[in-house]
Amino acid sequence: MPAVLSKLALPEWRLSLVPYLSRLLKGYGKHRSTIHRSILFVFILRSLLSIRKLFKAVKKSQHETSSHTTKKSKKNKKVEVDIVFFKQLCKILKIVMPGIKSQEFWLLIIHSGFLVFRTVLSVYIASLDGKIVSALVRGQLKEFVLGIVWWMTVAIPATYTNSMLSFMQNKLSIQFRTRLTTFIHDKYLKDMTFYAVGNLDDRIKNVDQCITVDTMKFSSSLAELYSNLAKPVLDVFIYNYQLTKNVGFEGVFLGSLIINMSSAVMRKYTPSFGKMVAEEQKLEGEFRFRHSRLMENAEEIALLNGQAIEKTELDKSYYALIRHVNRVFRVRVPYGMLEDFVIKYFWGACGLVLCSVPVFFNVPGLSAKGTLASSVGGRAEGFVTNRRLLMSSSDAVGRIMYAYKEITELAGYTSRVNDLLEVFEDVKAGRFQKNLVSSVSTESNEEILKGRGQIVESENIEFINVPIVSPNGDVLVPQLNFHVKPGMHLLIVGPNGCGKSSLFRILGGLWPVYGGTVHRPSHRDIFYIPQRPYLSLGTLRDQILYPDTVEDMKKRNISDDQLLDILKIVQIEHVVEREGGWDTEKEWTIALSGGDKQRASILLTAKLYIAMARLFYHSPRYAILDECTSAVSMDIERIMYTHATSLGISLLTVSHRPSLWKYHNFILQYDGQGGYVFTKLDAQKRLALQEEKNAIEAKLLEVPKIQARIQELSELK
């Protein structure tokens, strides 16, 4: 009867497949070990080929010229987990982990040791869990109590290992950040890079956030990724090996195949989280930058009553950030649903089926424990052990899947940090990318902008056919020729925007030389005093010594008494006693203004006195004074210039005050149209001509009145 029913239930073509399937299963059983080894060999070979392909792709990418990246606009740049990401990551890894002798490498080795030990403990705990449940089902009190004792004993090394894993991860993050920050600071504060990045290049608008926030997030993400990726990968191999011994190779293989197929689906529908993170960091930086601008220019904005406009700009920046964050949240909802369904429920169902294999099927090569021939306690022990191993393996695979999302986020941080390092390299090599907003066509200036001049170290200052070009692309002076030798004092005059201060920026190495030859002494032989002198952090003594240190002062055999003598020259010696001595540390921009932020003129004057004291302390060969005496009286001005010339300092001054003419013997006068005159200056003759000019101009002002009066008189009959 059963045979009749089966014939009725199954068509003939299906019954014809039974012998073939039987022979196939017999052949598989005969060559089972060989097939297992072949599958493992193919898997290992495929993994090695994938790794080799990845390294070849990275090596090929490293040999590509940078011209391909510069042609792509940053706006269209995509952040993905691809060859570009691995190339960037390898570049930064060489910085944060220089070699096998570095502290970071050995921290990583110790961290890896704890990861392996934690996995071994997990396997033992899974087996111990099964034994405890088996003893409970069998009603064996002694074995149950003994299992609980071992459970509590294993908890001691397990908890210590977990704590050390967290500690080593945080330690690695700090070490990575320290290495990266130190490297960035070395590049950033060298060769005027900090100036060029903000003034000559437009690629990075918020360098402060890149150095402080992005490096911190990159380091934390990198350290977390190693823990969240290395341990799950190790767990998958160890747990699957143990499962293979317990439930058979076939079940584990089919489970792995299902996981790989579902992982491919997950990868296909995974959004570009790396691009989203990079965009979020960019918007965060712009929002922070706008607040910084508001704080820096608070006084001017308040006086102009511009808070409404500033609020509009801040709100615009903030809501742009919030719109992007909300967009990311909306993208995460469907992706999170898909991720949870696949990882938690679909894989969980497959795991239950896998754990039931030894109970319902007789798999060759397995021990009697956990099979149909076993007792109820044996089945319970096998099921609990296998389920715990499977749950741990599934959790490990889930963490690997989650790690892919973390990798995409790491790609965003890596892209930001790599962009910063690339800009540093380009700026150092003189390659700038800036949106030119020249008042004339930039095409006419293209040849000049492509060129590069020479810089020659010399005892004298000399410009030979040097074009003065602003960062916006304006050619202020096509070719400038002048020289200053020791003993010469040059006065520079001209209308606003004609290139007076630009000359000093080229001389100081802040702007590139687009042509000709610049002869200049070393930086220590030139001292610059701008309109708004800079006060550094530190003691009162540090303000006078800047950029020297106390050690440099001692090497020059200069004492505090000599510094006090310098302050007496500029008539601010009382500041030392008033502020509490040379070693007092304060926010000097507030302290020197008397604590009143509205006393801008007092602060500017105090800054100028400190700057002049610095000049007298350093006593360089040349001093550049850029409109710096406009806030002081003529008496102080006379003292400053007289003492500077007595020290043998050659002065280059930008000023329109006629009272300064007598301290200079040469003049460089711009006409504002690209022309200039460089000649000797006869101060007395020029003053006489200036007085005559003023008198004539005063008379000319009376001409319209006289003409109007003549017109009135002529109308009288």
Side-chain angles (χ1 to χ4, degrees), residues 557-602:
N557 296 321
I558 295 179
S559 63
D560 289 343
D561 292 337
Q562 290 173 292
L563 293 182
L564 187 62
D565 292 337
I566 293 176
L567 295 186
K568 289 179 180 179
I569 296 173
V570 294
Q571 301 180 5
I572 58 169
E573 68 276 10
H574 62 280
V575 172
V576 179
E577 182 178 356
R578 187 189 74 186
E579 300 299 337
W582 288 108
D583 295 315
T584 303
E585 293 190 17
K586 292 185 178 181
E587 179 56 58
W588 294 106
T589 55
I590 298 176
L592 293 178
S593 65
D596 188 354
K597 293 184 179 180
Q598 299 301 322
R599 299 173 66 183
S601 60
I602 298 177

Side-chain angles (χ1 to χ4, degrees), residues 276-291:
M276 294 178 185
V277 169
E279 182 66 20
E280 182 178 348
Q281 293 301 309
K282 177 184 176 183
L283 293 173
E284 287 277 9
E286 291 180 356
F287 182 54
R288 178 179 175 182
F289 173 70
R290 291 177 186 272
H291 269 287

Side-chain angles (χ1 to χ4, degrees), residues 227-408:
S227 299
N228 297 339
L229 191 60
K231 187 179 186 302
V233 170
L234 179 66
D235 289 349
V236 167
F237 280 103
I238 294 180
Y239 293 146
N240 285 345
Y241 172 75
Q242 190 65 36
L243 279 172
T244 302
K245 295 174 62 177
N246 293 351
V247 301
F249 178 83
E250 294 80 5
V252 176
F253 176 74
L254 289 175
S256 301
L257 184 63
I258 292 173
I259 288 174
N260 285 330
M261 293 175 64
S262 57
S263 300
V265 174
M266 293 286 293
R267 283 194 298 270
K268 181 178 180 181
Y269 293 102
T270 299
S272 180
F273 288 111
K275 182 180 178 181
M276 294 178 185
V277 169
E279 182 66 20
E280 182 178 348
Q281 293 301 309
K282 177 184 176 183
L283 293 173
E284 287 277 9
E286 291 180 356
F287 182 54
R288 178 179 175 182
F289 173 70
R290 291 177 186 272
H291 269 287
S292 298
R293 287 185 71 254
L294 178 63
M295 294 173 63
E296 291 174 1
N297 303 281
E299 181 176 340
E300 291 84 352
I301 294 172
L303 291 174
L304 295 172
N305 199 24
Q307 56 267 25
I309 295 178
E310 297 301 323
K311 182 179 182 299
T312 302
E313 292 297 324
L314 286 173
D315 290 343
K316 185 189 302 182
S317 177
Y318 175 73
Y319 286 116
L321 171 63
I322 293 303
R323 282 194 299 272
H324 176 75
V325 173
N326 286 328
R327 193 181 308 120
V328 175
F329 289 162
R330 289 193 294 270
V331 170
R332 287 184 184 274
V333 169
Y335 177 76
M337 292 175 59
L338 176 64
E339 192 175 46
D340 287 344
F341 174 79
V342 172
I343 294 175
K344 291 183 179 180
Y345 298 99
F346 179 69
W347 289 359
C350 294
L352 290 173
V353 174
L354 181 62
C355 290
S356 67
V357 169
V359 177
F360 297 112
F361 301 97
N362 186 14
V363 181
L366 298 184
S367 61
K369 184 177 72 172
T371 64
L372 286 170
S374 305
S375 63
V376 175
R379 293 177 190 172
E381 179 181 350
F383 181 82
V384 170
T385 300
N386 294 336
R387 179 168 172 77
R388 190 177 183 92
L389 288 173
L390 185 63
M391 292 297 292
S392 299
S393 178
S394 177
D395 179 66
V397 175
R399 279 181 286 154
I400 293 175
M401 295 295 298
Y402 284 118
Y404 182 77
K405 183 170 62 177
E406 294 176 1
I407 292 174
T408 60

